[in-house]
PDB file of all heavy atoms in Angstrom:
ATOM      1  N   ILE V  12     106.563 102.726 102.064  1.00 97.00           N
ATOM      2  CA  ILE V  12     105.656 101.620 102.362  1.00 97.00           C
ATOM      3  C   ILE V  12     104.755 102.023 103.532  1.00 97.00           C
ATOM      4  O   ILE V  12     105.240 102.286 104.633  1.00 97.00           O
ATOM      5  CB  ILE V  12     106.432 100.341 102.743  1.00 97.00           C
ATOM      6  CG1 ILE V  12     107.369  99.924 101.598  1.00 97.00           C
ATOM      7  CG2 ILE V  12     105.471  99.201 103.079  1.00 97.00           C
ATOM      8  CD1 ILE V  12     108.299  98.784 101.971  1.00 97.00           C
ATOM      9  N   ASP V  13     103.453 102.115 103.255  1.00 95.00           N
ATOM     10  CA  ASP V  13     102.434 102.374 104.284  1.00 95.00           C
ATOM     11  C   ASP V  13     102.538 103.769 104.902  1.00 95.00           C
ATOM     12  O   ASP V  13     103.552 104.466 104.764  1.00 95.00           O
ATOM     13  CB  ASP V  13     102.448 101.303 105.366  1.00 95.00           C
ATOM     14  CG  ASP V  13     101.958  99.952 104.858  1.00 95.00           C
ATOM     15  OD1 ASP V  13     101.212  99.939 103.866  1.00 95.00           O
ATOM     16  OD2 ASP V  13     102.337  98.916 105.431  1.00 95.00           O
ATOM     17  N   CYS V  14     101.474 104.129 105.586  1.00 93.00           N
ATOM     18  CA  CYS V  14     101.421 105.453 106.212  1.00 93.00           C
ATOM     19  C   CYS V  14     100.303 105.421 107.259  1.00 93.00           C
ATOM     20  O   CYS V  14      99.190 105.873 107.008  1.00 93.00           O
ATOM     21  CB  CYS V  14     101.141 106.501 105.148  1.00 93.00           C
ATOM     22  SG  CYS V  14     101.347 108.170 105.738  1.00 93.00           S
ATOM     23  N   GLY V  15     100.614 104.854 108.436  1.00 91.00           N
ATOM     24  CA  GLY V  15      99.575 104.559 109.412  1.00 91.00           C
ATOM     25  C   GLY V  15      99.496 105.534 110.574  1.00 91.00           C
ATOM     26  O   GLY V  15     100.310 106.442 110.713  1.00 91.00           O
ATOM     27  N   ILE V  16      98.496 105.289 111.405  1.00 86.00           N
ATOM     28  CA  ILE V  16      98.327 106.066 112.637  1.00 86.00           C
ATOM     29  C   ILE V  16      98.545 105.141 113.827  1.00 86.00           C
ATOM     30  O   ILE V  16      98.562 103.922 113.705  1.00 86.00           O
ATOM     31  CB  ILE V  16      96.912 106.674 112.752  1.00 86.00           C
ATOM     32  CG1 ILE V  16      95.854 105.548 112.757  1.00 86.00           C
ATOM     33  CG2 ILE V  16      96.660 107.679 111.679  1.00 86.00           C
ATOM     34  CD1 ILE V  16      94.474 105.999 113.169  1.00 86.00           C
ATOM     35  N   SER V  17      98.723 105.747 114.986  1.00 78.00           N
ATOM     36  CA  SER V  17      98.571 105.007 116.240  1.00 78.00           C
ATOM     37  C   SER V  17      97.565 105.779 117.074  1.00 78.00           C
ATOM     38  O   SER V  17      97.204 106.912 116.744  1.00 78.00           O
ATOM     39  CB  SER V  17      99.902 104.838 116.974  1.00 78.00           C
ATOM     40  OG  SER V  17     100.461 106.084 117.305  1.00 78.00           O
ATOM     41  N   PHE V  18      97.097 105.146 118.141  1.00 73.00           N
ATOM     42  CA  PHE V  18      96.086 105.793 118.971  1.00 73.00           C
ATOM     43  C   PHE V  18      96.754 106.403 120.196  1.00 73.00           C
ATOM     44  O   PHE V  18      97.816 105.947 120.638  1.00 73.00           O
ATOM     45  CB  PHE V  18      94.997 104.794 119.341  1.00 73.00           C
ATOM     46  CG  PHE V  18      94.197 104.382 118.142  1.00 73.00           C
ATOM     47  CD1 PHE V  18      94.440 103.169 117.508  1.00 73.00           C
ATOM     48  CD2 PHE V  18      93.236 105.225 117.609  1.00 73.00           C
ATOM     49  CE1 PHE V  18      93.729 102.801 116.376  1.00 73.00           C
ATOM     50  CE2 PHE V  18      92.517 104.865 116.482  1.00 73.00           C
ATOM     51  CZ  PHE V  18      92.765 103.658 115.860  1.00 73.00           C
ATOM     52  N   PRO V  19      96.176 107.463 120.738  1.00 64.00           N
ATOM     53  CA  PRO V  19      96.847 108.203 121.817  1.00 64.00           C
ATOM     54  C   PRO V  19      97.000 107.398 123.091  1.00 64.00           C
ATOM     55  O   PRO V  19      96.170 106.554 123.422  1.00 64.00           O
ATOM     56  CB  PRO V  19      95.932 109.417 122.046  1.00 64.00           C
ATOM     57  CG  PRO V  19      94.607 109.025 121.472  1.00 64.00           C
ATOM     58  CD  PRO V  19      94.890 108.082 120.360  1.00 64.00           C
ATOM     59  N   GLU V  20      98.096 107.676 123.816  1.00 63.00           N
ATOM     60  CA  GLU V  20      98.297 107.105 125.147  1.00 63.00           C
ATOM     61  C   GLU V  20      97.329 107.772 126.120  1.00 63.00           C
ATOM     62  O   GLU V  20      96.737 108.824 125.826  1.00 63.00           O
ATOM     63  CB  GLU V  20      99.742 107.358 125.608  1.00 63.00           C
ATOM     64  CG  GLU V  20     100.817 106.859 124.655  1.00 63.00           C
ATOM     65  CD  GLU V  20     101.007 105.358 124.710  1.00 63.00           C
ATOM     66  OE1 GLU V  20     100.631 104.764 125.742  1.00 63.00           O
ATOM     67  OE2 GLU V  20     101.516 104.800 123.717  1.00 63.00           O
ATOM     68  N   GLU V  21      97.201 107.172 127.308  1.00 61.00           N
ATOM     69  CA  GLU V  21      96.255 107.710 128.300  1.00 61.00           C
ATOM     70  C   GLU V  21      96.596 109.140 128.718  1.00 61.00           C
ATOM     71  O   GLU V  21      95.718 109.919 129.067  1.00 61.00           O
ATOM     72  CB  GLU V  21      96.234 106.809 129.542  1.00 61.00           C
ATOM     73  CG  GLU V  21      95.391 105.560 129.345  1.00 61.00           C
ATOM     74  CD  GLU V  21      95.241 104.761 130.631  1.00 61.00           C
ATOM     75  OE1 GLU V  21      95.564 105.311 131.704  1.00 61.00           O
ATOM     76  OE2 GLU V  21      94.825 103.597 130.570  1.00 61.00           O
ATOM     77  N   ASP V  22      97.900 109.489 128.697  1.00 58.00           N
ATOM     78  CA  ASP V  22      98.289 110.822 129.155  1.00 58.00           C
ATOM     79  C   ASP V  22      98.243 111.862 128.032  1.00 58.00           C
ATOM     80  O   ASP V  22      98.647 113.001 128.226  1.00 58.00           O
ATOM     81  CB  ASP V  22      99.682 110.794 129.787  1.00 58.00           C
ATOM     82  CG  ASP V  22     100.756 110.287 128.842  1.00 58.00           C
ATOM     83  OD1 ASP V  22     100.407 109.837 127.722  1.00 58.00           O
ATOM     84  OD2 ASP V  22     101.944 110.328 129.205  1.00 58.00           O
ATOM     85  N   MET V  23      97.749 111.471 126.837  1.00 57.00           N
ATOM     86  CA  MET V  23      97.608 112.431 125.739  1.00 57.00           C
ATOM     87  C   MET V  23      96.189 112.980 125.747  1.00 57.00           C
ATOM     88  O   MET V  23      95.368 112.673 124.879  1.00 57.00           O
ATOM     89  CB  MET V  23      97.930 111.764 124.398  1.00 57.00           C
ATOM     90  CG  MET V  23      99.373 111.343 124.247  1.00 57.00           C
ATOM     91  SD  MET V  23      99.664 110.578 122.629  1.00 57.00           S
ATOM     92  CE  MET V  23     101.421 110.217 122.744  1.00 57.00           C
ATOM     93  N   TYR V  24      95.911 113.810 126.732  1.00 53.00           N
ATOM     94  CA  TYR V  24      94.554 114.298 126.984  1.00 53.00           C
ATOM     95  C   TYR V  24      93.987 115.037 125.768  1.00 53.00           C
ATOM     96  O   TYR V  24      94.576 115.988 125.281  1.00 53.00           O
ATOM     97  CB  TYR V  24      94.538 115.227 128.197  1.00 53.00           C
ATOM     98  CG  TYR V  24      94.957 114.545 129.472  1.00 53.00           C
ATOM     99  CD1 TYR V  24      96.282 114.543 129.879  1.00 53.00           C
ATOM    100  CD2 TYR V  24      94.034 113.881 130.265  1.00 53.00           C
ATOM    101  CE1 TYR V  24      96.681 113.907 131.052  1.00 53.00           C
ATOM    102  CE2 TYR V  24      94.414 113.241 131.431  1.00 53.00           C
ATOM    103  CZ  TYR V  24      95.742 113.266 131.822  1.00 53.00           C
ATOM    104  OH  TYR V  24      96.130 112.629 132.967  1.00 53.00           O
ATOM    105  N   GLY V  25      92.818 114.552 125.289  1.00 55.00           N
ATOM    106  CA  GLY V  25      92.124 115.239 124.201  1.00 55.00           C
ATOM    107  C   GLY V  25      92.636 114.925 122.815  1.00 55.00           C
ATOM    108  O   GLY V  25      92.038 115.352 121.828  1.00 55.00           O
ATOM    109  N   VAL V  26      93.732 114.191 122.700  1.00 60.00           N
ATOM    110  CA  VAL V  26      94.308 113.894 121.383  1.00 60.00           C
ATOM    111  C   VAL V  26      93.492 112.788 120.713  1.00 60.00           C
ATOM    112  O   VAL V  26      93.113 111.812 121.352  1.00 60.00           O
ATOM    113  CB  VAL V  26      95.799 113.481 121.523  1.00 60.00           C
ATOM    114  CG1 VAL V  26      96.360 113.002 120.193  1.00 60.00           C
ATOM    115  CG2 VAL V  26      96.615 114.644 122.070  1.00 60.00           C
ATOM    116  N   ASP V  27      93.220 112.958 119.419  1.00 64.00           N
ATOM    117  CA  ASP V  27      92.414 111.985 118.672  1.00 64.00           C
ATOM    118  C   ASP V  27      93.273 110.909 118.013  1.00 64.00           C
ATOM    119  O   ASP V  27      92.949 109.733 118.074  1.00 64.00           O
ATOM    120  CB  ASP V  27      91.588 112.691 117.596  1.00 64.00           C
ATOM    121  CG  ASP V  27      90.635 113.716 118.191  1.00 64.00           C
ATOM    122  OD1 ASP V  27      90.034 113.419 119.248  1.00 64.00           O
ATOM    123  OD2 ASP V  27      90.504 114.818 117.635  1.00 64.00           O
ATOM    124  N   LEU V  28      94.342 111.329 117.342  1.00 72.00           N
ATOM    125  CA  LEU V  28      95.193 110.413 116.586  1.00 72.00           C
ATOM    126  C   LEU V  28      96.650 110.821 116.740  1.00 72.00           C
ATOM    127  O   LEU V  28      96.954 111.974 117.044  1.00 72.00           O
ATOM    128  CB  LEU V  28      94.869 110.479 115.083  1.00 72.00           C
ATOM    129  CG  LEU V  28      93.447 110.235 114.611  1.00 72.00           C
ATOM    130  CD1 LEU V  28      93.347 110.576 113.125  1.00 72.00           C
ATOM    131  CD2 LEU V  28      93.044 108.796 114.846  1.00 72.00           C
ATOM    132  N   VAL V  29      97.526 109.863 116.482  1.00 79.00           N
ATOM    133  CA  VAL V  29      98.961 110.151 116.441  1.00 79.00           C
ATOM    134  C   VAL V  29      99.455 109.723 115.063  1.00 79.00           C
ATOM    135  O   VAL V  29      99.248 108.583 114.644  1.00 79.00           O
ATOM    136  CB  VAL V  29      99.727 109.399 117.542  1.00 79.00           C
ATOM    137  CG1 VAL V  29     101.203 109.783 117.525  1.00 79.00           C
ATOM    138  CG2 VAL V  29      99.126 109.690 118.922  1.00 79.00           C
ATOM    139  N   ILE V  30     100.101 110.649 114.349  1.00 82.00           N
ATOM    140  CA  ILE V  30     100.594 110.352 113.004  1.00 82.00           C
ATOM    141  C   ILE V  30     102.110 110.530 112.972  1.00 82.00           C
ATOM    142  O   ILE V  30     102.688 111.217 113.814  1.00 82.00           O
ATOM    143  CB  ILE V  30      99.909 111.240 111.940  1.00 82.00           C
ATOM    144  CG1 ILE V  30     100.233 112.723 112.172  1.00 82.00           C
ATOM    145  CG2 ILE V  30      98.407 111.016 111.938  1.00 82.00           C
ATOM    146  CD1 ILE V  30      99.684 113.650 111.090  1.00 82.00           C
ATOM    147  N   PRO V  31     102.791 109.913 111.994  1.00 89.00           N
ATOM    148  CA  PRO V  31     104.254 110.012 111.955  1.00 89.00           C
ATOM    149  C   PRO V  31     104.731 111.369 111.446  1.00 89.00           C
ATOM    150  O   PRO V  31     104.031 112.051 110.692  1.00 89.00           O
ATOM    151  CB  PRO V  31     104.655 108.893 110.987  1.00 89.00           C
ATOM    152  CG  PRO V  31     103.452 108.651 110.145  1.00 89.00           C
ATOM    153  CD  PRO V  31     102.256 108.987 110.981  1.00 89.00           C
ATOM    154  N   ASP V  32     105.924 111.711 111.844  1.00 87.00           N
ATOM    155  CA  ASP V  32     106.600 112.921 111.373  1.00 87.00           C
ATOM    156  C   ASP V  32     107.284 112.583 110.045  1.00 87.00           C
ATOM    157  O   ASP V  32     108.165 111.725 109.995  1.00 87.00           O
ATOM    158  CB  ASP V  32     107.636 113.351 112.423  1.00 87.00           C
ATOM    159  CG  ASP V  32     108.348 114.647 112.062  1.00 87.00           C
ATOM    160  OD1 ASP V  32     108.295 115.049 110.878  1.00 87.00           O
ATOM    161  OD2 ASP V  32     108.976 115.247 112.948  1.00 87.00           O
ATOM    162  N   ILE V  33     106.876 113.233 108.944  1.00 90.00           N
ATOM    163  CA  ILE V  33     107.462 112.917 107.637  1.00 90.00           C
ATOM    164  C   ILE V  33     108.369 114.049 107.136  1.00 90.00           C
ATOM    165  O   ILE V  33     108.534 114.252 105.933  1.00 90.00           O
ATOM    166  CB  ILE V  33     106.370 112.596 106.599  1.00 90.00           C
ATOM    167  CG1 ILE V  33     105.413 113.779 106.402  1.00 90.00           C
ATOM    168  CG2 ILE V  33     105.615 111.336 106.990  1.00 90.00           C
ATOM    169  CD1 ILE V  33     104.559 113.653 105.137  1.00 90.00           C
ATOM    170  N   THR V  34     108.993 114.766 108.078  1.00 91.00           N
ATOM    171  CA  THR V  34     109.887 115.876 107.713  1.00 91.00           C
ATOM    172  C   THR V  34     110.939 115.440 106.701  1.00 91.00           C
ATOM    173  O   THR V  34     111.238 116.160 105.741  1.00 91.00           O
ATOM    174  CB  THR V  34     110.577 116.436 108.979  1.00 91.00           C
ATOM    175  OG1 THR V  34     109.584 116.903 109.875  1.00 91.00           O
ATOM    176  CG2 THR V  34     111.532 117.568 108.631  1.00 91.00           C
ATOM    177  N   TYR V  35     111.510 114.242 106.912  1.00 94.00           N
ATOM    178  CA  TYR V  35     112.564 113.771 106.008  1.00 94.00           C
ATOM    179  C   TYR V  35     112.037 113.653 104.577  1.00 94.00           C
ATOM    180  O   TYR V  35     112.731 114.025 103.616  1.00 94.00           O
ATOM    181  CB  TYR V  35     113.104 112.414 106.472  1.00 94.00           C
ATOM    182  CG  TYR V  35     114.192 111.868 105.564  1.00 94.00           C
ATOM    183  CD1 TYR V  35     115.494 112.378 105.619  1.00 94.00           C
ATOM    184  CD2 TYR V  35     113.916 110.871 104.624  1.00 94.00           C
ATOM    185  CE1 TYR V  35     116.482 111.906 104.772  1.00 94.00           C
ATOM    186  CE2 TYR V  35     114.900 110.393 103.776  1.00 94.00           C
ATOM    187  CZ  TYR V  35     116.182 110.911 103.859  1.00 94.00           C
ATOM    188  OH  TYR V  35     117.170 110.444 103.015  1.00 94.00           O
ATOM    189  N   LEU V  36     110.822 113.156 104.425  1.00 94.00           N
ATOM    190  CA  LEU V  36     110.250 112.995 103.087  1.00 94.00           C
ATOM    191  C   LEU V  36     109.902 114.355 102.475  1.00 94.00           C
ATOM    192  O   LEU V  36     110.120 114.571 101.280  1.00 94.00           O
ATOM    193  CB  LEU V  36     109.004 112.114 103.152  1.00 94.00           C
ATOM    194  CG  LEU V  36     109.229 110.682 103.663  1.00 94.00           C
ATOM    195  CD1 LEU V  36     107.907 109.925 103.761  1.00 94.00           C
ATOM    196  CD2 LEU V  36     110.212 109.930 102.770  1.00 94.00           C
ATOM    197  N   VAL V  37     109.381 115.257 103.288  1.00 92.00           N
ATOM    198  CA  VAL V  37     109.066 116.601 102.798  1.00 92.00           C
ATOM    199  C   VAL V  37     110.341 117.310 102.331  1.00 92.00           C
ATOM    200  O   VAL V  37     110.360 117.968 101.283  1.00 92.00           O
ATOM    201  CB  VAL V  37     108.341 117.423 103.885  1.00 92.00           C
ATOM    202  CG1 VAL V  37     108.178 118.882 103.457  1.00 92.00           C
ATOM    203  CG2 VAL V  37     106.985 116.809 104.204  1.00 92.00           C
ATOM    204  N   ASN V  38     111.421 117.134 103.088  1.00 93.00           N
ATOM    205  CA  ASN V  38     112.706 117.755 102.721  1.00 93.00           C
ATOM    206  C   ASN V  38     113.316 117.142 101.464  1.00 93.00           C
ATOM    207  O   ASN V  38     114.200 117.737 100.845  1.00 93.00           O
ATOM    208  CB  ASN V  38     113.703 117.645 103.877  1.00 93.00           C
ATOM    209  CG  ASN V  38     113.313 118.509 105.060  1.00 93.00           C
ATOM    210  OD1 ASN V  38     112.486 119.418 104.934  1.00 93.00           O
ATOM    211  ND2 ASN V  38     113.878 118.234 106.229  1.00 93.00           N
ATOM    212  N   ASN V  39     112.873 115.929 101.128  1.00 94.00           N
ATOM    213  CA  ASN V  39     113.375 115.250  99.922  1.00 94.00           C
ATOM    214  C   ASN V  39     112.231 114.973  98.955  1.00 94.00           C
ATOM    215  O   ASN V  39     112.195 113.942  98.279  1.00 94.00           O
ATOM    216  CB  ASN V  39     114.060 113.931 100.307  1.00 94.00           C
ATOM    217  CG  ASN V  39     115.355 114.146 101.075  1.00 94.00           C
ATOM    218  OD1 ASN V  39     116.409 114.337 100.484  1.00 94.00           O
ATOM    219  ND2 ASN V  39     115.263 114.132 102.400  1.00 94.00           N
ATOM    220  N   ALA V  40     111.310 115.931  98.874  1.00 93.00           N
ATOM    221  CA  ALA V  40     110.068 115.730  98.116  1.00 93.00           C
ATOM    222  C   ALA V  40     110.320 115.361  96.658  1.00 93.00           C
ATOM    223  O   ALA V  40     109.574 114.563  96.076  1.00 93.00           O
ATOM    224  CB  ALA V  40     109.216 116.991  98.201  1.00 93.00           C
ATOM    225  N   ASP V  41     111.371 115.915  96.055  1.00 94.00           N
ATOM    226  CA  ASP V  41     111.641 115.640  94.639  1.00 94.00           C
ATOM    227  C   ASP V  41     112.045 114.189  94.393  1.00 94.00           C
ATOM    228  O   ASP V  41     111.938 113.687  93.273  1.00 94.00           O
ATOM    229  CB  ASP V  41     112.741 116.575  94.114  1.00 94.00           C
ATOM    230  CG  ASP V  41     114.025 116.488  94.936  1.00 94.00           C
ATOM    231  OD1 ASP V  41     113.931 116.312  96.165  1.00 94.00           O
ATOM    232  OD2 ASP V  41     115.122 116.570  94.341  1.00 94.00           O
ATOM    233  N   LYS V  42     112.468 113.497  95.446  1.00 95.00           N
ATOM    234  CA  LYS V  42     112.885 112.093  95.302  1.00 95.00           C
ATOM    235  C   LYS V  42     111.734 111.109  95.507  1.00 95.00           C
ATOM    236  O   LYS V  42     111.801 109.961  95.086  1.00 95.00           O
ATOM    237  CB  LYS V  42     113.976 111.754  96.333  1.00 95.00           C
ATOM    238  CG  LYS V  42     115.315 112.440  96.109  1.00 95.00           C
ATOM    239  CD  LYS V  42     116.309 111.897  97.145  1.00 95.00           C
ATOM    240  CE  LYS V  42     117.683 112.495  96.976  1.00 95.00           C
ATOM    241  NZ  LYS V  42     118.629 111.931  97.970  1.00 95.00           N
ATOM    242  N   VAL V  43     110.683 111.540  96.210  1.00 95.00           N
ATOM    243  CA  VAL V  43     109.619 110.609  96.619  1.00 95.00           C
ATOM    244  C   VAL V  43     108.699 110.321  95.436  1.00 95.00           C
ATOM    245  O   VAL V  43     108.029 111.212  94.923  1.00 95.00           O
ATOM    246  CB  VAL V  43     108.810 111.176  97.810  1.00 95.00           C
ATOM    247  CG1 VAL V  43     107.784 110.151  98.279  1.00 95.00           C
ATOM    248  CG2 VAL V  43     109.738 111.546  98.964  1.00 95.00           C
ATOM    249  N   LYS V  44     108.679 109.068  94.991  1.00 95.00           N
ATOM    250  CA  LYS V  44     107.988 108.700  93.749  1.00 95.00           C
ATOM    251  C   LYS V  44     106.627 108.046  93.967  1.00 95.00           C
ATOM    252  O   LYS V  44     105.830 107.944  93.035  1.00 95.00           O
ATOM    253  CB  LYS V  44     108.864 107.738  92.930  1.00 95.00           C
ATOM    254  CG  LYS V  44     110.259 108.270  92.635  1.00 95.00           C
ATOM    255  CD  LYS V  44     110.230 109.612  91.930  1.00 95.00           C
ATOM    256  CE  LYS V  44     111.637 110.134  91.652  1.00 95.00           C
ATOM    257  NZ  LYS V  44     111.632 111.511  91.123  1.00 95.00           N
ATOM    258  N   GLY V  45     106.363 107.551  95.169  1.00 95.00           N
ATOM    259  CA  GLY V  45     105.070 106.915  95.375  1.00 95.00           C
ATOM    260  C   GLY V  45     104.972 106.279  96.750  1.00 95.00           C
ATOM    261  O   GLY V  45     105.991 106.035  97.410  1.00 95.00           O
ATOM    262  N   ILE V  46     103.725 106.040  97.173  1.00 96.00           N
ATOM    263  CA  ILE V  46     103.494 105.364  98.440  1.00 96.00           C
ATOM    264  C   ILE V  46     102.760 104.054  98.133  1.00 96.00           C
ATOM    265  O   ILE V  46     101.790 104.032  97.380  1.00 96.00           O
ATOM    266  CB  ILE V  46     102.730 106.255  99.437  1.00 96.00           C
ATOM    267  CG1 ILE V  46     102.593 105.557 100.782  1.00 96.00           C
ATOM    268  CG2 ILE V  46     101.389 106.706  98.921  1.00 96.00           C
ATOM    269  CD1 ILE V  46     102.334 106.523 101.925  1.00 96.00           C
ATOM    270  N   PHE V  47     103.251 102.961  98.697  1.00 97.00           N
ATOM    271  CA  PHE V  47     102.781 101.618  98.367  1.00 97.00           C
ATOM    272  C   PHE V  47     102.185 100.993  99.630  1.00 97.00           C
ATOM    273  O   PHE V  47     102.878 100.867 100.645  1.00 97.00           O
ATOM    274  CB  PHE V  47     103.947 100.783  97.828  1.00 97.00           C
ATOM    275  CG  PHE V  47     104.537 101.354  96.556  1.00 97.00           C
ATOM    276  CD1 PHE V  47     105.429 102.420  96.603  1.00 97.00           C
ATOM    277  CD2 PHE V  47     104.175 100.851  95.326  1.00 97.00           C
ATOM    278  CE1 PHE V  47     105.960 102.978  95.440  1.00 97.00           C
ATOM    279  CE2 PHE V  47     104.700 101.387  94.157  1.00 97.00           C
ATOM    280  CZ  PHE V  47     105.588 102.449  94.206  1.00 97.00           C
TER     281      PHE V  47
END
């Protein structure tokens, strides 16, 4: 469900966006059927 961004904190110098770590989904890629 969903796949959003957050915006950088003040101490994240030069960073444009913050995205989630989807390692768990990549490791279980054969199980992932869709994003809603």
Side-chain angles (χ1 to χ4, degrees):
I12 301 172
D13 291 336
C14 190
I16 60 167
S17 61
F18 292 101
E20 305 284 338
E21 281 187 14
D22 58 354
M23 294 180 179
Y24 298 91
V26 173
D27 300 319
L28 304 171
V29 183
I30 63 175
D32 183 343
I33 60 165
T34 300
Y35 179 77
L36 299 177
V37 172
N38 291 343
N39 292 275
D41 56 324
K42 292 185 178 181
V43 184
K44 305 304 180 187
I46 184 159
F47 298 80

